[in-house]
Amino acid sequence: MRISVSSDMDQPVARLLVEELRARGHDVRAYGALDPAADPRWAVCSEQAAREVAAGRADQAVVCCWTGTGASIAANKVPGVRAALCTDAYTADGARRWNDANVLAIGLRLTSGPLLREILDAWFAAGPSEDAEDRDNVTHVERLDEGRRAAR
């Protein structure tokens, strides 16, 4: 799977994230502080990683900042992106299952290596729900994106 990863800080958890994704066989493209030539601002690098997903150049993305909140906000401004800030495995599972999230947001401050692995395990094990109500909600969110595109 092609995964774009961004972080506004070159932190051990961010480096572990890239290593872990590559060890799982994913093709990783790094943005922000993980690429010495890139702009490390959370709003910029999170948008870049999210745009890769929206354009189909990446299957998913993982965006990081100190709390994960700014990274998730920036990613969610990109039409077609459904970013979820996940602080535990249960939330990651639900984000993929019920929200068909395609961007995982991680906070660098509180995420340890073992917790990161648990979140990734849950994220990649879950798939989108086939439940009609869940699909209807995702479709509604997609229509919100269409409305934002039309308003420009």
Side-chain angles (χ1 to χ4, degrees):
M1 186 179 304
R2 298 167 302 165
I3 302 178
S4 56
V5 176
S6 71
S7 179
D8 66 339
M9 303 169 79
D10 185 5
Q11 291 283 325
V13 171
R15 289 190 301 273
L16 176 62
L17 170 63
V18 172
E19 292 170 16
E20 185 67 26
L21 290 171
R22 287 186 175 141
R24 293 170 184 237
H26 300 294
D27 178 21
V28 177
R29 172 112 191 253
Y31 294 90
L34 300 171
D35 175 0
D39 189 332
R41 292 177 295 163
W42 59 262
V44 174
C45 64
S46 297
E47 176 196 5
Q48 290 172 325
R51 286 202 182 281
E52 292 294 302
V53 174
R57 292 184 297 267
D59 301 300
Q60 295 181 4
V62 183
V63 296
C64 305
C65 69
W66 192 238
T67 65
T69 305
S72 65
I73 290 170
N76 274 316
K77 296 296 182 183
V78 177
V81 167
R82 291 176 303 282
L85 174 55
C86 298
T87 57
D88 57 60
Y90 186 78
T91 304
D93 175 79
R96 288 287 299 131
R97 189 173 316 280
W98 302 313
N99 311 126
D100 194 9
N102 52 12
V103 174
L104 170 62
I106 297 283
L108 298 170
R109 179 176 172 264
L110 297 176
T111 306
S112 65
L115 179 57
L116 175 66
R117 289 182 188 96
E118 289 176 11
I119 291 169
L120 293 175
D121 287 345
W123 180 267
F124 290 118
S129 169
E130 295 301 322
D131 179 79
E133 184 176 336
D134 295 335
R135 297 307 317 155
D136 285 347
N137 277 311
V138 172
T139 299
H140 182 82
V141 170
E142 290 170 343
R143 283 195 300 269
L144 293 172
D145 277 342
E146 290 169 11
R148 286 174 47 201
R149 285 185 192 107
R152 290 183 189 178

